Amino acid sequence: GNSVTQMEGPVTLSEEAFLTINCTYTATGYPSLFWYVQYPGEGLQLLLKATKADDKGSNKGFEATYRKETTSFHLEKGSVQVSDSAVYFCALKSGGSYIPTFGRGTSLIVHP
Amino acid sequence: NAGVTQTPKFQVLKTGQSMTLQCAQDMNHNSMYWYRQDPGMGLRLIYYSASEGTTDKGEVPNGYNVSRLNKREFSLRLESAAPSQTSVYFCASSERAGLANTEAFFGQGTRLTVV
């Protein structure tokens, strides 16, 4: 079956530091990969996505590259801000599947 | 521009009480989902509806029932609430069941406490 594994948090950084949150997956077929962000007290919202191998998704300074050879989709940002403090979820969806599969989420805390 | 709307936002129940969580989406999506979110557990799928008229169990369906009332609405019912059902509940929807590249859209959640 499908599964997503992401690094455990919390990840604590100072403002302007470089961010990496690791995500690896197992899936049947050719999945699409997603990163969602959940700000405190809110629901999840899509941050970025990639639908085929070697695609790079990007949004709000965040990037992630779909690496089929390493089954990974690591999230990166060059310079984090306090406002990036949130929980980040890696997810996948396989063609023909009705159900997105989520990782457990990684909490990011950015200090001024 | 409502998207996915959940009601209520907060609820406190006594053990044994029943309640229904309401969810509606205005994006003409086929698939709808109910998740619960607990600390350290991430999101766990309770039930889903691939299309209007169908519902299926997810990972943690015990103690819950669902109704896909029409294409827009998907409700979650707790018949006899238990403290273990204290959680944050999220409804989500996505376009065209079976398409891989369609993301899920989430409501803002219902924070339920069972005492």
Side-chain angles (χ1 to χ4, degrees), chain A:
Chain A
N2 295 342
S3 68
V4 175
T5 303
Q6 55 182 113
M7 59 191 291
E8 291 202 18
V11 173
T12 304
L13 295 172
S14 297
E15 204 164 26
E16 299 184 2
F18 184 85
L19 168 71
T20 300
I21 300 177
N22 291 337
C23 171
T24 57
Y25 67 90
T26 57
T28 54
Y30 301 96
S32 291
L33 302 174
F34 306 85
W35 277 101
Y36 289 82
V37 59
Q38 182 183 30
Y39 298 106
E42 298 185 8
L44 281 69
Q45 57 186 275
L46 181 70
L47 179 61
L48 53 84
K49 70 180 183 182
T51 58
K52 60 183 188 295
D54 300 324
D55 267 3
K56 179 185 283 188
S58 61
N59 187 24
K60 299 181 181 180
F62 291 89
E63 293 182 341
T65 301
Y66 188 164
R67 301 284 188 202
K68 189 177 176 186
E69 64 277 11
T70 54
T71 62
S72 64
F73 192 53
H74 305 321
L75 183 68
E76 296 182 336
K77 186 175 186 184
S79 175
V80 293
Q81 306 300 312
V82 172
S83 58
D84 293 326
S85 298
V87 180
Y88 293 82
F89 291 88
C90 186
L92 69 83
K93 194 159 178 274
S94 290
S97 170
Y98 302 111
I99 305 169
T101 301
F102 289 88
R104 290 197 169 189
T106 302
S107 175
L108 171 65
I109 301 167
V110 181
H111 293 294

Side-chain angles (χ1 to χ4, degrees), chain B residues 3-77:
Chain B
V4 179
T5 302
Q6 290 183 235
T7 55
K9 287 187 170 49
F10 301 93
Q11 184 71 49
V12 178
L13 288 179
K14 294 182 179 178
T15 298
Q17 286 186 319
S18 62
M19 79 162 294
T20 299
L21 281 63
Q22 308 285 355
C23 175
Q25 51 91 8
D26 62 1
M27 296 171 282
N28 202 36
H29 286 170
N30 282 304
S31 299
M32 297 185 74
Y33 315 87
W34 277 105
Y35 291 90
R36 59 179 288 173
Q37 184 179 30
D38 302 291
M41 303 295 292
L43 289 173
R44 292 185 291 172
L45 183 67
I46 304 171
Y47 271 92
Y48 68 100
S49 171
S51 60
E52 185 180 357
T54 69
T55 60
D56 284 287
K57 295 178 180 179
E59 182 185 353
V60 289
N62 290 345
Y64 305 95
N65 284 300
V66 291
S67 295
R68 183 75 183 265
L69 304 169
N70 46 55
K71 193 171 185 180
R72 290 186 63 247
E73 299 172 287
F74 187 40
S75 63
L76 178 72
R77 182 160 179 85

